[in-house]
Amino acid sequence: MGGDYILLEQHQQLGDTTLFPGGSCGSSGAGGQVSRATRRRLSSFQQLLLILVAGSCTIALYAYWDVMLLTSGNVPETQLSNETLAEKLQREVRVLCWVLTTPKYHKSRAVHVMRTWGKRCNKIYFMTSEPDDELPTIVLTKPDKYEVLWGKTKEAFSYLYEHMLDEADWFMKADDDTYVFVENLRYMLYPYSPDQAIYFGYNFKMVGTHQKNESYMSGGSGYVLSREALRVFVEGLNDTTKCRQEDDHAEDMEMGRCLFNLDVKAGDSRDSKLRHRFYPLLPFNILLSGYFGLDFWLYKYAFYSMRSCMDCLSEYPVAFHYVSPAQLYVFDFFNYDFQLMGKQKPVERLPEKIKPEDLVIPEYDNHFD
């Protein structure tokens, strides 16, 4: 550094000497006419000071550029090239999860949901009647009674619509004994536009007198509404001809009936091999064909034909129901930490986007009574 020189400009009117480091921020590089007499060698301390100033300015400019890119919605190509498929989906398919719970289950159930699959949602909230320091809670006004689950569901979705509509593309409702593979949920939702009024879950046939193709999604394994479906639901739920105004009766059934009357489409959540991805039971109920008899209620009420066999479980399941707190951690371990030596990972590709006008939803095919 002993051979480096710096130009100094004499400000006679001020009587001081000002440093103009070449290439540093705040300097135009012109500096005016400077004579050789104004050149002198800098001390080591001055050189170090100039290096620190130049470095600080460079860091500040880079940080400003990075913030501008993020706020404008653009991500640097170098960052995109290193992005995993799961990270891409997390960025492009924003899922807000909300879990229906009660204070008596905060510590025994809800907190374990938060520590496992819940942390993978873009945002998660626990709908309950009391706040909790360990949980991001939203306190509802409805009482903690099973008989008013429909009322609590209406209130929860209404709150999200009024305060968080723009914070997510999809809104997933689950119970505190549900396990959700959030990455698989995003993968399933990727082809669909959140601006289309559609929702997904495990599709049940409507019981009793109903219209053709009327169905509802199992509340136990959860269901997910698009942003537009949420808007249509909340803005239309006070229509007495379309939605039940009382808070009682089965929550998932009333949700399905209300959405059907509001012309929100009940999407087909099965994979390309017609295997279900939402399950109102645990995995072994589906894998073991002899576990239940043919008179089991699941076979009777499934909207799409239901089977139990070792090949009947989707490779990319989304949700299971009746999962104990201990099983939440087992699911987490075998899917996020467990490694099988020598197993070749599959090549993963995102599905094609589906235009709303090209969407085809199959009619029910389960004629078992």
Side-chain angles (χ1 to χ4, degrees), residues 19-92:
L19 296 177
F20 287 89
S24 65
C25 64
S27 172
S28 65
Q33 298 293 328
V34 183
S35 66
R36 293 184 178 181
T38 62
R39 298 182 180 182
R40 66 180 178 84
R41 189 183 301 272
L42 289 177
S43 67
S44 298
F45 174 76
Q46 290 173 318
Q47 293 175 16
L48 178 61
L49 180 62
L50 289 173
I51 291 172
L52 291 174
V53 171
S56 299
C57 290
T58 302
I59 294 173
L61 288 172
Y62 179 81
Y64 173 78
W65 172 77
D66 197 33
V67 169
M68 291 301 293
L69 283 174
L70 291 174
T71 55
S72 65
N74 298 319
V75 181
E77 290 187 7
T78 53
Q79 181 175 335
L80 288 175
S81 63
N82 295 326
E83 191 177 45
T84 66
L85 188 58
E87 291 170 339
K88 174 182 173 64
L89 287 170
Q90 185 179 24
R91 178 170 53 83
E92 296 187 7

Side-chain angles (χ1 to χ4, degrees), residues 308-348:
S308 293
C309 63
M310 287 302 294
D311 191 40
C312 293
L313 196 61
S314 175
E315 296 172 349
Y316 293 93
V318 170
F320 294 101
H321 190 212
Y322 298 122
V323 183
S324 70
Q327 289 170 326
L328 292 175
Y329 295 98
V330 174
F331 276 41
D332 246 39
F333 171 75
F334 278 105
N335 287 279
Y336 297 96
D337 298 309
F338 175 81
Q339 298 294 327
L340 186 62
M341 183 59 64
K343 181 180 180 181
Q344 184 176 359
K345 294 184 178 180
V347 178
E348 296 180 323

Side-chain angles (χ1 to χ4, degrees), residues 282-296:
L282 288 165
F284 62 81
N285 300 133
I286 311 302
L287 296 173
L288 303 178
S289 59
Y291 192 82
F292 293 117
L294 291 177
D295 59 344
F296 186 56

Side-chain angles (χ1 to χ4, degrees), residues 142-254:
K142 303 295 181 181
D144 286 319
K145 294 181 180 180
Y146 181 82
E147 294 76 16
V148 296
L149 286 182
W150 170 229
K152 294 178 72 174
T153 300
K154 290 188 290 184
E155 184 180 1
F157 273 123
S158 297
Y159 182 93
L160 295 177
Y161 169 74
E162 293 169 2
H163 299 91
M164 302 175 186
L165 183 64
D166 296 327
E167 296 185 16
D169 306 306
W170 300 87
F171 298 81
M172 173 77 187
K173 178 266 176 187
D175 287 346
D176 53 16
D177 59 348
T178 305
Y179 189 96
V180 180
F181 295 97
V182 183
E183 296 88 348
N184 290 350
L185 174 63
R186 294 191 181 104
Y187 175 75
M188 186 201 74
L189 296 173
Y190 178 80
Y192 304 94
S193 170
D195 296 323
Q196 181 179 13
I198 192 170
Y199 80 122
F200 296 92
Y202 185 87
N203 209 322
F204 279 126
K205 291 188 293 185
M206 190 66 73
V207 298
T209 304
H210 59 84
Q211 302 178 62
K212 182 181 179 181
N213 286 327
E214 187 176 0
S215 65
Y216 66 99
M217 304 298 176
S218 167
S221 54
Y223 46 85
V224 55
L225 276 66
S226 69
R227 183 173 54 241
E228 177 63 9
L230 175 62
R231 184 193 68 78
V232 171
F233 170 66
V234 175
E235 293 183 2
L237 63 84
N238 290 326
D239 187 337
T240 58
T241 65
K242 296 181 178 180
C243 303
R244 185 180 181 86
Q245 301 303 297
E246 295 81 6
D247 292 339
D248 60 344
H249 210 242
E251 159 255 331
D252 48 7
M253 187 179 297
E254 292 303 331

